[in-house]
Amino acid sequence: MARCFSIPCHEVIHSPSYSKLVKSDSMGTAEERTQLTGTKETTSVTKAFLNLTVCILASALLSIPYGFDKTGWLGGILLLLCVGALVDYTLLCMGETCMKLNVFDYQEIAEISFGKFGRYLQAAVQLGLSLSLMISYQIIAADNIEGMLSPEWVKSASTWDIPLEIFLVIILTAIILIPLSTLATLKMLSYSSTVSIISICLLCISLLYFDINRIPPNSVELVSSEVYTGLSVFATGFVCHQLITPTLDSLPGEGITKRQNFHKVVHFSILVSFSFFTAVGLMGYYLCHDVTRENSCPGNILKWNLPNDGVWDKIIAKVSMAMFLVTALVAYPLEHYSCYNTICRLIYGEWGSPPTALAITLKLVTITVTTVPAMFITDVGPLVAWAGNLAAFPLGFILPLSLSLKHSRATPITSGEEEGVLQVEEGSSTSTTEVLLRGGLLVLTAVLMLVQTIGGIVSAVV
């Protein structure tokens, strides 16, 4: 039998989510929820696992060798393991909070917990992460096209009045990204998972092929000095908390069954992502690291001068670039969709939307905001690192732990209703040990974020 928790009304009475906790029909129709979250009303465990894994891997896979370059091969493995375990735990905390409140929306949970400040903070860090990833996709797409062009053509383009990188970003944005982001539907973009899976497998095969056929001129490092940079890169790769609430909502079952399905999805997604991150990180690091020069691994591993002595070398390198080019071009509209919806909900409320003309204008402004920096940033590595520190850390660690602690003292109600209390289904309140653990992790992640920020500023200045 389901048990209930009491939550004082003053915590939620001023929130638009109040009606969610009282009336189930206020969640909107299935069509409305599908349109907003991009998920179906019910999704199989296997499909949820594949979607979540692909979203994790596609965000920063090409930058993982850059993180290993900053940490060393052993430091990279250990940091990846720690970040993956922490993300796994905070995802479960996030799911627990969702089920306690019976609310499956990150922004709404933040507002229930911390008022308007919580809602705006969650929206700000989510926008920061989405915009950073959109910029990185534009840079990666331009890099990969440049890598697929013949050296003679690239050399002739160097005499143009406009740099080739800027020209490619503008052309890609105008011809492909604007139509996809303004006109395409999520159903048209749903095939991106298949493309991403093929791209990821091809990347692993390519790096393995080049590693086997190449002896590095310099030894790799066990542990490197810029651990804080690698930690931020790995956080950007793993953090996917903005996707967890609709994923949990879409899973089949209720109560314990839904919780068990959610745990399976999270554990297997993190495990598979960790395996791919480790493989790509090690192979990319082994392939291009050079201890005699700084920043030998680029933020986009495919931007490195892959061996092209033989026919197969050229084919494998260019096919890998082409597949990740498609992945970046399809991933950009998905991040743009999330970014646009976050802005609309801040302005128009939960189910509101702007007029068509204003909606198109807002989309174009969002695209312009990412296009301008993409034209001038030459390497996505530092961008991914700063995104991890300033956006992924609060979104994936600090906020989920804070929300969990906020609602950890909910007390079971065995029967009936009490005045001034909302009935919220859940299994049991959080134990004292769990509260202490989450409090300690919250302090630790906040300190790490501060140290990384200071370290990044010092490195940039020096």
Side-chain angles (χ1 to χ4, degrees):
M1 181 178 177
R3 300 168 71 186
C4 296
F5 282 82
S6 62
I7 297 180
C9 282
H10 66 78
E11 293 188 11
V12 294
I13 194 68
H14 298 295
S15 166
S17 295
Y18 171 78
S19 59
K20 282 186 174 183
L21 298 174
V22 181
K23 298 188 298 179
S24 60
D25 61 357
S26 65
M27 291 289 289
T29 64
E31 183 178 355
E32 288 173 325
R33 292 169 66 180
T34 300
Q35 181 181 2
L36 180 65
T37 63
T39 60
K40 292 183 179 180
E41 193 67 15
T42 301
T43 303
S44 67
V45 174
T46 302
K47 186 173 181 180
F49 155 72
L50 289 175
N51 289 339
L52 186 61
T53 303
V54 168
C55 288
I56 294 174
L57 291 175
S59 62
L61 183 64
L62 296 179
S63 298
I64 296 300
Y66 174 83
F68 271 74
D69 188 53
K70 299 299 182 182
T71 61
W73 69 266
L74 180 59
I77 293 176
L78 293 178
L79 272 182
L80 265 180
L81 183 61
C82 292
V83 173
L86 183 57
V87 168
D88 183 276
Y89 183 72
T90 55
L91 287 175
L92 296 184
C93 291
M94 194 73 202
E96 176 188 294
T97 304
C98 288
M99 297 191 70
K100 280 184 177 181
L101 303 180
N102 197 27
V103 178
F104 299 91
D105 180 86
Y106 202 161
Q107 271 191 40
E108 296 301 319
I109 293 173
E111 184 172 3
I112 290 172
S113 305
F114 304 112
K116 291 294 183 181
F117 171 78
R119 185 182 189 91
Y120 292 142
L121 177 62
Q122 191 280 335
V125 293
Q126 182 169 328
L127 283 174
L129 185 60
S130 294
L131 290 172
S132 299
L133 291 176
M134 289 164 66
I135 295 171
S136 69
Y137 292 143
Q138 288 175 290
I139 298 172
I140 288 172
D143 286 345
N144 287 2
I145 287 184
E146 184 177 353
M148 294 166 60
L149 299 174
S150 64
E152 295 79 13
W153 202 92
V154 174
K155 185 177 180 180
S156 65
S158 63
T159 61
W160 295 357
D161 294 333
I162 181 174
L164 179 60
E165 295 82 0
I166 296 179
F167 173 77
L168 290 176
V169 170
I170 294 175
I171 292 299
L172 282 172
T173 303
I175 297 179
I176 300 177
L177 296 182
I178 288 179
L180 280 180
S181 300
T182 56
L183 302 177
T185 63
L186 284 180
K187 186 175 182 180
M188 295 171 59
L189 300 173
S190 62
Y191 299 103
S192 61
S193 295
T194 304
V195 176
S196 298
I197 291 173
I198 297 174
S199 303
I200 291 165
C201 293
L202 280 177
L203 176 64
C204 292
I205 294 172
S206 302
L207 293 178
L208 180 61
Y209 170 82
F210 290 127
D211 276 330
I212 292 175
N213 290 278
R214 177 181 181 271
I215 301 176
N218 301 287
S219 60
V220 294
E221 296 175 286
L222 195 68
V223 179
S224 190
S225 58
E226 295 188 45
V227 174
Y228 55 86
T229 303
L231 182 60
S232 298
V233 172
F234 300 154
T236 303
F238 271 115
V239 166
C240 55
H241 295 65
Q242 68 275 20
L243 306 172
I244 278 301
T245 48
T247 299
L248 174 59
D249 192 23
S250 67
L251 287 173
E254 296 293 338
I256 295 178
T257 302
K258 180 183 280 287
R259 186 184 301 110
Q260 290 174 342
N261 289 334
F262 177 66
H263 285 199
K264 290 178 185 177
V265 170
V266 169
H267 292 326
F268 281 108
S269 295
I270 296 298
L271 180 61
V272 172
S273 299
F274 170 78
S275 302
F276 273 102
F277 279 155
T278 303
V280 171
L282 285 175
M283 289 189 294
Y285 177 60
Y286 176 82
L287 180 64
C288 64
H289 179 70
D290 188 344
V291 296
T292 63
R293 61 192 181 91
E294 189 177 358
N295 297 327
S296 53
C297 286
N300 174 8
I301 188 61
L302 294 178
K303 189 178 180 181
W304 190 76
N305 294 323
L306 297 175
N308 58 0
D309 299 330
V311 176
W312 280 108
D313 291 352
K314 295 179 181 179
I315 293 176
I316 292 177
K318 293 188 183 300
V319 169
S320 298
M321 291 180 182
M323 290 303 300
F324 259 95
L325 167 64
V326 176
T327 299
L329 293 178
V330 178
Y332 181 95
L334 291 173
E335 282 296 336
H336 178 268
Y337 181 84
S338 173
C339 184
Y340 169 76
N341 272 316
T342 301
I343 296 174
C344 286
R345 295 183 63 196
L346 283 175
I347 300 174
Y348 294 97
E350 187 173 358
W351 302 114
S353 58
T356 302
L358 183 57
I360 295 177
T361 302
L362 183 58
K363 291 179 179 180
L364 292 176
V365 169
T366 307
I367 295 172
T368 304
V369 168
T370 64
T371 302
V372 173
M375 292 190 295
F376 301 101
I377 298 176
T378 57
D379 189 5
V380 298
L383 172 66
V384 171
W386 278 107
N389 184 35
L390 300 179
F393 254 72
L395 187 70
F397 303 141
I398 296 175
L399 262 177
L401 290 170
S402 300
L403 295 173
S404 177
L405 289 172
K406 175 70 174 179
H407 301 289
S408 63
R409 302 179 68 180
T411 55
I413 299 176
T414 55
S415 63
E417 294 186 2
E418 299 178 11
E419 185 178 356
V421 170
L422 298 178
Q423 304 296 309
V424 183
E425 293 196 3
E426 176 55 19
S428 62
S429 59
T430 308
S431 66
T432 303
T433 303
E434 287 287 324
V435 170
L436 292 176
L437 174 62
R438 295 173 190 183
L441 290 175
L442 176 60
V443 173
L444 175 62
T445 52
V447 170
L448 284 175
M449 180 179 172
L450 178 61
V451 171
Q452 290 175 128
T453 302
I454 296 174
I457 294 174
V458 171
S459 298
V461 172
V462 174

